[in-house]
Amino acid sequence: MEHLRNFSIIAHIDHGKSTLADRLIQAAGLVDARGFRDQILDTLDLERERGITIKSNTATLPYTGLDGRTYQLNLIDTPGHVDFSYEVSRALASCEGVLLLVDASQGVEAQTLANLYAAMEHDLVIVPVINKIDLPSADVDRVKGEIETELGLEADRAILCSAKEGLGIQDVFEAIVSRIPAPQGDPSKPLAALVFDAHYDPFRGAVVACRVFDGRVRVGDHIRFLSNGAVYKVEEVGLFRLKREPRPELEAGQVGYILAGIKTVSDVRIGDTITLNEKPVAAALPGFREVKPVVFSSIYPVSSDDYASLQDALEKYKLNDAALVYQKDSSAALGQGFRCGFLGLLHLEIVQERLEREYDQSIIMTIPSVQYRFTLDTGETITVENPQYYPDPVHIKGTEEPYIRAAILCPDRYMGAVLKLCTERRGENPRFSVPGPGRVEIVCDMPLAEVIYDFYDRLKTVTQGYGSFDYEWIGYRSSDLVKLDILVNGEKVDALSLIVHRNRARTWAVQVCDRLKEEIPRHQFKIAIQGAVGGKIIARSTISAFRKDVTAKCYGGDITRKRKLLEKQKKGKKRMKMVGSVSIPQSAFVAVLKTD
Ligand code: GDP
Ligand code: MG
């Protein structure tokens, strides 16, 4: 075990985590220069485009140190977004140390701190690494100062490197072997392995990534998952070397994978403990919890003919993403669809984009909602995330909504703008601190419902890209909620209903009415669009009837032009939803989701 090191790289987004991981993999000789492409670990297209890591990946790197010994370094990659913070915590629990990467020109940022705290919670050794020293704007002395004052770490022990130029890479390797301790554990004890990730292989089923703390696991063993007691026979174990590399066994201290004929990743719970069925461990490894969705939205096919195809796509998608939950749902306006739960808004966007791109689905998603809590006159408390199930107001005795504590870090010149944004979003009790010269941290309590929506985009806008944002869940608080309905020619469009704070209802209603007015084409008759709370109209807009037949202007003229026009209309119809006698284009449902 002396030759093992288990570590992770943590950093604020864009500080160079993926680039450094690539460089380490390349330097370890896992790939030659030809087989190399940037960001090897970020395998999904979407990750590469957005430059974020959605699913974590792991790689075992061989390294011969200056002391002449050969080490096996296990790099455990972590997802880089708050939606996936539980997965991050399980990955960190599998490590003995982390490289804390800081950009030499940007310095310490909100996520750097949040990551540091997470690493400290697991008692990990922290190796500060200052990256991008090749940049002309690099200011190593200033960043060292921030590492001392803001992070409380010894800055003169920080490693200087440029992941892009390949500078200081050996120093990074040497720091890993000399500063991060070898794992401890007893191979002769009963097996205890921590599941920190799982992905799907179409031929082998779930590939379980785990860290073995005690004991050993071999091919043919019967393993048991402690959370649900499920037992499987091990088909293969091994190390991650970009591809899977089978080994006879994994023992205490090791990080690797297990294949055991497990059908889908939904059968595997991140954070679970794996043990041997015949000789189980006495207690589960600490920190396990069930991951619960926090943001909900319904997905409908644009054309109801595509319902079966959407169901198929969701089933396939779900094989690889245990965090997505869904069940059948139906709407009077949109027909058959699925109600889905997501870890956060980024997760929602990922699912939406992948369904459209990789599974070729044309979908409509309803306005995302959080889970509200209602106390009824019977004394019963119920949770509701689908506005369709909003309880009868006469029976509601109390309403509550989930709150988060937001931490925003930005240059102090943007403080006014950020405060204004927080107030608009019903932020409460703002507090400030000055983590470094010219910078301010604003902490405030906000309803989750106000941030699941474009909050991050707005923050980036008002801080010209300098603001960073992180949040933690703080629980439910009582709130004055109402249900807002949208009516088109008197007909309720249930897919556009929304549970919202009373003070925000009008703004929302006006916005939705305006958007729909822009998006719904004129009809032969006048269309009234209304926003209503409890039967009371609080906003309205009208689309007047059009006067002429679209084809009238080419009457008697060019017949092909006329045909083209009719074809275009027909095509347009496919992407239309009928509500009563009004056809609403798909774009209208998308447009109401956008705020600005
Ligand atoms: P991540 O979000 O932390 O994974 O960051 P990435 O590795 O995706 O890097 C973000 C950007 O910084 C990319 O455009 C990289 O090419 C660039 N970058 C990373 N390391 C360096 C470096 O050492 N020097 C310079 N100049 N750019 C770098
Ligand atoms: Mg990255």
Side-chain angles (χ1 to χ4, degrees), residues 353-382:
E353 282 194 37
R354 293 189 63 191
L355 283 176
E356 292 197 324
R357 283 194 212 185
E358 293 166 34
Y359 297 88
D360 211 22
Q361 298 295 309
S362 197
I363 56 176
I364 292 172
M365 288 190 83
T366 61
I367 300 175
S369 171
V370 298
Q371 200 157 43
Y372 295 98
R373 218 149 68 176
F374 297 89
T375 308
L376 305 179
D377 51 8
T378 55
E380 189 192 0
T381 301
I382 57 167

Side-chain angles (χ1 to χ4, degrees), residues 200-230:
Y200 178 71
D201 178 308
F203 304 105
R204 309 296 302 266
V207 179
V208 180
C210 64
R211 154 74 195 267
V212 182
F213 279 88
D214 281 316
R216 46 170 45 104
V217 54
R218 295 191 183 98
V219 175
D221 283 346
H222 289 271
I223 52 168
R224 189 200 301 173
F225 286 87
L226 283 186
S227 73
N228 59 2

Side-chain angles (χ1 to χ4, degrees), residues 292-306:
K292 294 230 172 68
V294 291
V295 176
F296 301 84
S297 165
S298 298
I299 301 182
Y300 296 95
V302 170
S303 159
S304 42
D305 300 344
D306 295 335

Side-chain angles (χ1 to χ4, degrees), residues 483-485 487 502 530-540:
K483 181 182 176 210
L484 170 66
D485 288 313
L487 310 166
R502 188 181 302 277
Q530 297 166 313
V533 169
K536 196 170 150 240
I537 305 300
I538 58 170
R540 73 173 73 230

Side-chain angles (χ1 to χ4, degrees), residues 17-18 39 42 51-53:
K17 193 178 92 165
S18 301
Q39 275 140 49
D42 295 351
I52 51 164
T53 304

Side-chain angles (χ1 to χ4, degrees), residues 15 59 83 137 169 175 235 265 270 323 331 424 503 509 535 546:
H15 284 199
D83 283 6
S137 56
I169 300 303
E235 294 172 352
V265 293
I270 306 293
S331 145
E424 274 167 29
N503 295 345
F546 67 128

